[in-house]
């Protein structure tokens, strides 16, 4: 009998966030995919100290160590308050130890301004409705994995071959049980796939683990779908970078960057 995946990534129990099997990643059996903690930190930062500065224009996540599949706590604080510009920090704790941290830069959005800016360029990648879904099959899978929490559709390039590619992502389950994922959560969840979308090295032979994720947005994302137009580079010294242009169905919304630790798989 086939077991169905969980219907959420995290469940709230008191002041802790308990991960399900959907939070797991492809690098170790007891560690999360980076998209799960990134989306959770995004949730906490956008809900903290709400005010006129409501648009998260930069989300930076540092994955200080593999995030374990254990109940987590998040501590948020306002670094610098402001009506037009605001800085926030969040710390992710596992058994009292800091495993990840994030910062957010929020800015006000003023619809009364009449600035002489050019119109949006509109969609620049194939719309997700015109594409077929496919399932990500990691070389090393431990349980369902975060890739089962998203629907995936290829717009350009190839998932199985190296080189630039464009892929649409849509969350299928809430990050936190009982909640509709916010646009920022959807972006954070998708953006962490950038190093896999535009991989620079063959899958199954190399590790290309991101130690961080930085997302810059120039407008509020719209809708459920987020596309990554991604490309990665890897250097012979074992360092790499993945850069993605982010899209929703209206057009470009920003960019994301990941710093990569590159190595051969132990059995590669």
């Amino acid at each position: 009998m086939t077991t169905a995946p969980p219907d959420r990534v995290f469940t709230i129990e008191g002041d802790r966030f308990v991960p399900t099997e959907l939070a797991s990643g492809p690098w170790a059996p007891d560690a999360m995919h980076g998209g799960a903690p990134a989306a959770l930190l995004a949730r906490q930062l956008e809900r903290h100290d709400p005010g006129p500065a409501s648009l998260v224009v930069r989300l930076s996540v540092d994955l200080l160590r593999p995030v374990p599949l254990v109940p987590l706590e998040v501590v948020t604080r306002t670094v610098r308050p402001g009506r037009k510009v605001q800085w926030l920090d969040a710390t992710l704790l596992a058994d009292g130890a800091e495993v990840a941290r994030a910062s957010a830069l929020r800015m006000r959005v003023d619809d009364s301004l009449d600035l002489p800016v050019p119109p949006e360029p509109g969609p620049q990648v194939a719309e997700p409705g015109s594409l077929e879904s496919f399932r990500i099959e990691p070389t090393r899978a431990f349980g369902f994995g975060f890739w089962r929490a998203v629907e995936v559709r290829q717009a350009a390039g190839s998932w199985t071959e190296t080189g630039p590619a464009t892929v649409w992502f849509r969350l299928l389950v809430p990050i936190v049980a009982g909640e509709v994922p916010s646009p920022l959560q959807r972006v954070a969840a998708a953006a962490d796939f950038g190093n896999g979308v535009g991989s620079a090295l063959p899958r199954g032979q190399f590790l290309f683990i991101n130690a961080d994720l930085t997302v810059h947005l120039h407008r509020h994302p719209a809708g459920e779908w987020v596309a990554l137009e991604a490309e990665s580079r890897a250097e012979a010294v074992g360092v790499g970078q993945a850069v993605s242009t982010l899209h929703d169905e209206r057009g470009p919304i920003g960019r994301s960057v990941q710093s990569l630790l590159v190595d051969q798989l132990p059995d590669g």
Side-chain angles (χ1 to χ4, degrees):
M1 185 174 71
T2 302
T3 303
D7 61 357
R8 74 281 185 200
V9 181
F10 294 96
T11 300
I12 297 179
E13 293 186 3
D15 59 357
R16 300 194 300 175
F17 298 89
V18 180
T20 69
E21 198 176 349
L22 283 181
S24 65
W27 307 120
D30 56 352
M32 293 188 192
H33 186 284
L40 179 61
L41 287 162
R43 174 192 184 270
Q44 297 302 100
L45 285 166
E46 68 181 340
R47 294 162 69 99
H48 179 74
D49 194 12
S54 61
L55 173 59
V56 175
V57 298
R58 189 197 70 217
L59 173 69
S60 298
V61 179
D62 291 319
L63 301 168
L64 304 179
R65 62 194 71 188
V67 180
L69 289 164
V70 301
L72 303 171
E73 296 179 72
V74 183
V75 179
T76 55
R77 70 185 182 101
T78 301
V79 177
R80 188 236 189 230
R83 294 180 58 82
K84 293 186 177 181
V85 183
Q86 185 183 40
W87 282 264
L88 310 171
D89 276 352
T91 301
L92 191 64
L93 303 171
D95 296 324
E98 185 180 23
V99 294
R101 65 167 67 112
S103 65
L105 170 60
R106 295 200 305 219
M107 291 185 177
R108 66 93 178 94
V109 175
D110 188 348
D111 293 330
S112 68
L113 297 174
D114 187 16
L115 303 179
V117 297
E120 289 190 48
Q124 298 181 354
V125 299
E127 296 181 358
S130 66
L131 306 169
E132 295 293 328
S133 299
F134 73 96
R135 178 175 290 182
I136 297 173
E137 299 291 351
T139 304
R140 302 192 305 170
F142 308 102
F144 285 114
F146 195 64
W147 48 90
R148 292 290 297 275
V150 293
E151 181 179 0
V152 187
R153 300 187 179 188
Q154 191 91 37
S158 169
W159 183 269
T160 58
E161 299 178 6
T162 60
T166 304
V167 175
W168 287 99
F169 292 89
R170 182 175 71 91
L171 274 172
L172 295 173
V173 299
I175 296 299
V176 172
E179 298 180 0
V180 176
S182 70
L184 183 64
Q185 291 175 42
R186 295 181 185 279
V187 168
D192 195 75
F193 282 96
N195 55 330
V197 171
S199 58
L201 295 168
R203 302 179 192 279
Q205 301 178 41
F206 297 93
L207 297 167
F208 34 92
I209 304 172
N210 63 298
D212 68 352
L213 170 67
T214 300
V215 175
H216 285 266
L217 298 174
H218 53 78
R219 66 169 171 85
H220 281 295
E224 296 184 339
W225 288 96
V226 178
L228 274 62
E229 187 179 3
E231 183 173 8
S232 296
R233 293 188 62 86
E235 303 295 339
V237 295
V239 174
Q241 184 183 74
V243 180
S244 302
T245 298
L246 306 174
H247 303 255
D248 63 14
E249 292 184 81
R250 288 171 46 194
I253 56 175
R255 296 180 186 275
S256 63
V257 180
Q258 298 164 290
S259 302
L260 308 181
L261 177 67
V262 182
D263 205 347
Q264 289 185 321
L265 279 169
D267 55 353

